[in-house]
Structure formats: C-alpha cells, structure tokens
Amino acid sequence: MNSIFVFFVLTTLIKTNVGCDAFSPICYYSDPHYLHHSSIGRSPKSSSFAKTQNLQLSFSNHERITFRRRTSPMKMGLEVKIRIVGRKNGGEPWLESSYSTYEKRLKPTNLQVTTQWHKNDDDLVKAVEGDEAKNHPVVLLDPLGKMCTSEKFCDGMYKWLEEGGSRLTFVIGGAEGLPEELRGVGARRRNLLSLSSLTFTHQFARILLMEQIYRASEIRKGSGYHK
C-alpha cells in the first residue's frame, strides 16, 4: 500500500506540479508539501552546464526518498565544429602544424574542436543545413560580417554554445568565399563574423579562428595568455 502511495505521489508530482519539462535542467514545483528539495549538480568550472538532478520527496510519515537521474540538456563536453571547403592536405605542411599547436593546447580542457572538410559548396550547404536542423548555432566567416574584440568573441562563442546545447559550428568558404545559398539575400538569417578587414586564404583563416577559440577558452579560465 505504501509503495502504491509513493508511486501515485511521484506520478502526480511529475505530471501536475513540475513547472517545466521533466528533463529540463531547472524545474520549479507548485506543491511544497511533497517536495523537500531539488538540486542540480554542476560542473566546478562552469555553472551553466547541468550534470545531474536530485529530487527528494518528504511524506507525512517523515520518510524521505531520493531520486537521482542524469540530465543532459547541455552536455558537459563543449564541441565546436569548423566546416571548410577544401582538402586537408591541400595547403602547406606548416599550416596543419600551426593548427595542431592549438588543438593540442585545448586537449586538457572540456572544449573539443574538429574540422570537417567538404569537397564543394553543395556538400557544405547540405552539412550546414543539417547542423541547423539540430538547432546548432552557425557562424559564417565572411568579410561582411561583424568584427569584434577577443573578449567579445569569447562572450559570443560561449553564448552560442549555451544556445546550441554545447554545440557550435563555424563555416569557412573555399577560395571563392561562401556560397550564396548561405550568405545571399535569399538565405535565412545567420551569424556573420569577420576576423579582419585583411584578406587571408581559407586555410590561414582556419588557423586564426582556431587561435581565437583557444584564446577565448583562456579568457574564460582567467589565465595570463590573453593580455
């Protein structure tokens, strides 16, 4: 009988008294009689990423039952994807070596950056639309984009990661720039970012972007790298 009562109360609480989706990282409850405590475990380095959720229910006979479940509206590991038109080995060897330097520096962090090479514009457009279908924010590197300081880039990058559930995509066009399907007048509204008013090759732009991503992680950490 007691087990049936517990099941009934729990079911009622989730269906009627939880003021959000059952798997949301932040919930409020309208009936304080049944709810004793709600807490969300967070990363020691970033309070914005939920890890676990504990629900403790108190009943009239002073018994307490704790329900512990995993919640993952935002994953602990941050994933940044760079989509670019071209071939990985199409440039000078030092380009890949320079990129790898920052890739190695990011390994101890919870920020993972990967590069996806696309053979042509059509392949790039299809992949970007796939990211957007998953609600991953997309940032296009384009001369018409907005220029910003490294501090503003840091703020924007982590804001986009939060909006995208720890996922973010940067897009670099090929030698001819971004296709019109992505940046043209008829294209849907996307974030446009310019790294500089100077012109760089798309391979070199990838290195500049990677350095700024690493710099943003150091700014966030409060290290002495950014001065």
Side-chain angles (χ1 to χ4, degrees):
M1 181 66 181
N2 189 40
S3 298
I4 297 176
F5 174 75
V6 171
F7 177 79
F8 173 78
V9 172
L10 177 60
T11 304
T12 304
L13 174 65
I14 293 178
K15 289 185 176 180
T16 62
N17 293 327
V18 179
C20 64
D21 185 87
F23 296 98
S24 174
I26 300 177
C27 301
Y28 62 89
Y29 301 83
S30 60
D31 192 342
H33 176 72
Y34 290 115
L35 180 70
H36 174 74
H37 179 67
S38 174
S39 64
I40 300 178
R42 298 183 182 275
S43 166
K45 292 185 178 179
S46 176
S47 61
S48 62
F49 297 98
K51 184 179 181 182
T52 60
Q53 184 170 343
N54 300 333
L55 302 181
Q56 291 184 341
L57 307 182
S58 293
F59 302 93
S60 57
N61 61 355
H62 302 293
E63 292 181 357
R64 181 177 299 172
I65 299 178
T66 299
F67 299 88
R68 184 176 179 86
R69 65 188 177 187
R70 300 287 297 182
T71 58
S72 56
M74 296 188 67
K75 300 180 181 179
M76 293 300 293
L78 310 181
E79 294 185 11
V80 174
K81 185 180 299 179
I82 300 175
R83 295 194 178 277
I84 182 171
V85 174
R87 293 182 300 164
K88 181 177 181 179
N89 298 322
E92 298 292 334
W94 67 269
L95 291 170
E96 194 61 32
S97 176
S98 300
Y99 176 90
S100 298
T101 297
Y102 298 106
E103 189 175 39
K104 292 176 182 177
R105 292 182 181 182
L106 283 169
K107 280 188 176 181
T109 72
N110 69 335
L111 179 60
Q112 179 184 5
V113 182
T114 58
T115 299
Q116 181 68 51
W117 298 88
H118 298 276
K119 58 184 179 181
N120 53 48
D121 288 347
D122 291 339
D123 188 31
L124 176 67
V125 172
K126 183 178 179 180
V128 169
E129 291 176 345
D131 290 340
E132 291 177 329
K134 299 175 184 176
N135 294 320
H136 298 172
V138 173
V139 181
L140 308 178
L141 267 62
D142 188 86
L144 299 179
K146 181 180 179 180
M147 287 192 289
C148 62
T149 64
S150 293
E151 291 85 356
K152 290 293 184 181
F153 177 87
C154 173
D155 293 340
M157 186 182 79
Y158 282 98
K159 176 178 176 291
W160 289 321
L161 280 166
E162 187 171 358
E163 292 174 351
S166 307
R167 302 295 183 265
L168 170 62
T169 299
F170 286 100
V171 182
I172 302 175
E176 303 300 324
L178 292 168
E180 286 299 311
E181 292 90 335
L182 294 180
R183 62 180 293 273
V185 177
R188 58 180 294 179
R189 186 176 181 179
R190 296 184 175 94
N191 301 298
L192 265 66
L193 175 68
S194 175
L195 295 178
S196 171
S197 56
L198 301 175
T199 301
F200 303 103
T201 64
H202 57 291
Q203 293 99 337
F204 194 74
R206 172 174 168 253
I207 297 174
L208 292 177
L209 173 61
M210 187 61 164
E211 194 279 336
Q212 285 300 304
I213 293 173
Y214 172 70
R215 184 179 293 273
S217 71
E218 293 299 299
I219 292 175
R220 185 82 162 187
K221 188 166 56 178
S223 73
Y225 179 81
H226 179 72
K227 299 178 182 179

